[in-house]
Structures are given as C-alpha cells and as structure tokens.
Amino acid sequence: MTDALTILPPGRPLRGRVSPPGSKSITNRALLLAGLAVGESRLTGALKSDDTRHMANALRAMGVAVEEPEDTGFVVRGSGRLRAPAAALFLGNAGTAVRFLTAAAALAGGEVVLDGDAHMRKRPIAPLVEALRRLGVVAEAPTGCPPVTVRGRGGFEGREVSVDAGLSSQYVSALLMLAACGAHPVRVALRGDAIGARGYIDLTVAAMRRFGGVVEAEGGSAWVVQPGGYRAAELHVEPDASAATYLWAAEALTGGAIDLGVAAGDFTQPDAAAYPLIRDFRHLPPVIDGSQMQDAVPTLAAVAAFGAAPVRFTGIGNLRVKECDRVHAMATELSRLSPGLAVEDGDDLVVTPAPREGFRAARIETYGDHRIAMSMALAGLMVPGVTILDPGCVAKTYPDYWRDLGRLGVEMRAEG
C-alpha cells in the first residue's frame, strides 16, 4: 500500500452502488462459535480483513479446521474442544479476537498466551481476566493489558460471575460465549451500571442462539446461560454498519445517492443508529450521546465539522482505549483543517464548524487506526489537499475502502 493518499474533492454528488464488507463484529463472533461447535458450519457474507484473519488463524492454531472457499465465506469444522497452541497467539490489534479468545482459552488443555501489537498492549483486559479468575480459570495479565496467559484445563467450574464492563461490552460477550461450554448453568452479571455499547451484547446473544446456545436475560444487567455447548450452523453475515457510516456520510456530504444494497433500518448492529444523524448532518443536535454507537463517533465528528452549529459528543470516554485515543486523535486531526475545529473537554469531544474559507490543506496522522483514516478521508471530499497518511491501516476492517471510494468517482493521488 502507498505511504499516503491525497483525496481530491469530487465537486459533485457521489452516485453509485457499493456493497459494504461483512460485519466484523458478527464475523468474529460466528467464527469463534463455529470453532466451539461440533460439526461443520458455513459462514457467508463474512468479512475478510486483518481482524478476522487473526481470529481464523488463532482457531487453526487451536485445532479448528477453518477453510476459506470464497472471498466472503468460511467453512469451519469444530469438535467442541480446543487444544493449546504450539506458540503464542499473535492477534495484532484485534480487540474482539483477543477478548473473546482469552475467555475461550479456558477450554484448551494447556497454556495459551495471547498477545498483540504495540497498540493492543495498551488496551485494557484486566476486568475480563479478573472475572475469569472468579470462574476458577487460571489467567494473568501482569500489566492489565495483553499479553495474557491462560492455563486452560478443558473447562471451568464457576457458576456465577460479575464483570465491570465500563470499558468494554466485549468482556461480557466473551464470558457469555464461554459460559455455554460449562458443566452447569452460569449467571453473568454486570458489576455497576456502566457498560460499553450494550447493543453488541444483543449481537452476541443472537449469534449464540444461532449456534444452539441457550441464554436468557435477567432484566438489563444479568444473563443466565445453560450448559450444552454449540452445534454447527449456517449463517449469513449482514454488512458492517460501522463501514456503512462512511458511505452514508459520503452521500450526505456531497448530496449524492449511494445504494448499499441494504436499507439502514435492516441493520441489527448499534452503529446503524447513526444513519438519521448523518443524513441531517447540517442540523445535528447540540449534544450527541455516543456511548451506544461508539465506532460511528469519528464519522459523526467528521460530518459535524460541516454542519451549522457546534456539537458536543458525550459518553465517549471508552474511545480513549480503542485502537488509539480516538477522542484526542479526532480533536487533533480535525483541528489541522482549521484551528480549534474540534477540542477535547474532559472526555467529551466538541466540534465547532468553521466557515468553508477557514479550512486548509492538511496531512492527517492516522495513528494506525482504521477509523481515523476512513472518517478523516470524508473531510477530503469537501476540503482540497487532505492527505491521509498510512492509508493501508483500513485493512483492519475495510480493505477495499479506497477502491470503493474510487468506484464512486473519488479521485486520489498516491505518494510512496
């Protein structure tokens, strides 16, 4: 991939049809559940990206047969058991893979070390490790972040666990998917009221049920999972709603018409809630709670820069522990376009639109974060001279992002 891409504003409405990639969230859940199931599962419409590659490779290292017969398909053959891998599992900066597999490693017969890149080694995992210990799993993460060591014993004995999910709902999802493989019913409860995007737990529960898991909610803060494991299934993965936000934004910013092949209302992922806000970006509400659509916040911040009035994004403290500190990154990079365009206020992000003549060309740092690259590229549709550094980082979840923009008629100039 090139070192940098300069976006050339199209100066016209973008029109055409683009199919977003499959959902990363659903693909990685389905891969793990298929790996824990007995029999052959088939996934269609799935995402092929860095994150899902790390999950698939880790499952292969743990004794699961994973084949890729087509560009958007996986065939997974599981025995209902996992084995200890011969070497540490390297999972890049794939948060879902690290967290889900940390819990699943309890089912392996031996030591499992889960590690990642420099960014992953800064992402918290201590709440999940502590919860696993309360289930009787031997696990440790000395720094509170990966690497994590789990000494699997083929199962676990605990029947009830609570977890602090204030930093990530993925901790809850990891425990829920593990719980179905226990010998007894397991109750998973929240510790405190704070939780990351709750809608992703709903995705987890739906995927578990698709693979034969039995799980029921107790109010809004606990779930009871029955034993019995999982059975093989066929699953078609819906398109990625987070990826769709960039295309919805490209359409709205340019006054175009982009057909994604799926209506916004047909998505089950939380980030689809951003659609009506993006569509009416010139008149956004003065305060937007981003807690339940966290991955859409960078997109919303980018379009807010071209709105009619200031917008404060709240409930986004968790964005500081994503692939990078996204609150700081968006404030810094938007302000390269116009000083003070975006500022941090505690954990909030405040975007104050500037007159169009106040914008200037800028070279955008992406911090190795796919969402910073893709959201800031949207500004390049409106402002001449926006250059995205390390554009290849989009391979984490949307490898064809630049190609798809090109198909819509966006011209880009490559460097390096």
Side-chain angles (χ1 to χ4, degrees):
M1 185 66 189
T2 183
D3 294 333
L5 278 177
T6 298
I7 313 298
L8 305 182
R12 60 174 178 78
L14 294 180
R15 303 181 185 279
R17 176 161 185 167
V18 172
S19 298
S23 165
K24 177 200 75 172
S25 300
I26 296 175
T27 298
N28 264 357
R29 284 164 172 78
L31 280 171
L32 176 59
L33 294 170
L36 296 176
V38 177
E40 181 179 283
S41 298
R42 292 182 176 270
L43 311 181
T44 57
L47 173 66
K48 300 291 183 75
S49 72
D50 288 351
D51 276 20
T52 60
R53 175 175 54 82
H54 286 308
M55 175 65 87
N57 286 341
L59 290 171
R60 292 180 180 114
M62 300 177 80
V64 177
V66 182
E67 298 176 1
E68 302 183 38
E70 57 213 16
D71 288 346
T72 61
F74 289 98
V75 175
V76 183
R77 298 181 183 87
S79 64
R81 306 180 66 177
L82 297 176
R83 72 183 183 206
L89 299 176
F90 178 78
L91 300 166
N93 197 13
T96 52
V98 167
R99 283 139 181 186
F100 296 169
L101 288 167
T102 291
L107 305 173
E111 183 175 282
V112 182
V113 177
L114 304 100
D115 203 356
D117 62 18
H119 297 287
M120 179 55 72
R121 289 187 169 195
K122 297 178 182 178
R123 300 182 68 178
I125 202 166
L128 176 58
V129 171
E130 292 168 5
L132 289 170
R133 287 173 177 165
R134 286 192 289 275
L135 285 175
V137 178
V138 179
E140 59 185 25
T143 67
C145 301
V148 185
T149 300
V150 180
R151 294 177 177 84
R153 294 181 290 191
F156 62 94
E157 294 299 323
R159 302 186 184 208
E160 185 164 357
V161 64
S162 62
V163 62
D164 179 352
L167 290 176
S168 177
S169 65
Q170 291 174 6
Y171 304 152
V172 180
S173 290
L175 293 167
L176 289 173
M177 289 188 284
L178 169 66
C181 300
H184 313 281
V186 178
R187 184 175 186 269
V188 178
L190 297 179
R191 181 184 298 174
D193 297 328
I195 188 172
R198 184 180 292 269
Y200 286 105
I201 298 177
D202 296 336
L203 283 185
T204 300
V205 170
M208 290 171 64
R209 289 173 176 162
R210 188 71 182 84
F211 284 87
V214 179
V215 54
E216 297 297 335
E218 280 191 358
S221 61
W223 297 261
V224 176
V225 183
Q226 300 298 324
Y230 300 103
R231 61 174 180 265
E234 294 189 2
L235 176 68
H236 182 74
V237 178
E238 72 180 51
D240 192 280
S242 305
T245 66
Y246 310 116
L247 301 170
W248 291 331
E251 175 184 67
L253 286 169
T254 66
I258 301 174
D259 180 6
L260 305 189
V262 57
D266 291 340
F267 287 91
T268 64
Q269 301 154 70
D271 281 354
Y275 174 72
L277 295 169
I278 294 170
R279 184 179 55 187
D280 197 25
F281 76 95
R282 297 192 190 280
H283 304 287
L284 290 169
V287 178
I288 294 176
D289 180 355
S291 62
Q292 300 306 307
M293 50 179 175
Q294 295 173 12
D295 286 344
V297 168
T299 308
L300 287 166
V303 299
F306 302 96
V311 179
R312 176 181 292 269
F313 293 90
T314 66
I316 59 173
N318 288 7
L319 267 64
R320 294 197 183 277
V321 293
K322 295 287 189 175
E323 282 81 342
C324 74
D325 180 343
R326 288 179 178 162
V327 179
H328 176 73
M330 289 304 295
T332 301
E333 301 312 313
L334 282 171
S335 292
R336 293 187 195 275
L337 302 174
S338 179
L341 183 60
V343 298
E344 301 171 68
D345 186 7
D347 281 336
D348 294 353
L349 179 68
V350 181
V351 180
T352 302
R356 190 64 58 84
E357 60 270 18
F359 286 88
R360 62 193 183 192
R363 295 176 71 82
I364 302 299
E365 297 287 349
T366 55
Y367 310 86
D369 190 326
H370 56 134
R371 303 222 179 274
I372 304 303
M374 290 188 281
S375 60
M376 289 303 301
L378 298 170
L381 300 178
M382 309 296 286
V383 179
V386 173
T387 299
I388 305 299
L389 305 180
D390 186 24
C393 67
V394 303
K396 188 174 192 297
T397 56
Y398 195 164
D400 290 333
Y401 182 64
W402 307 116
R403 185 203 69 177
D404 285 351
L405 286 183
R407 288 176 59 195
L408 292 169
V410 178
E411 295 184 30
M412 291 160 275
R413 185 171 63 248
E415 296 179 18

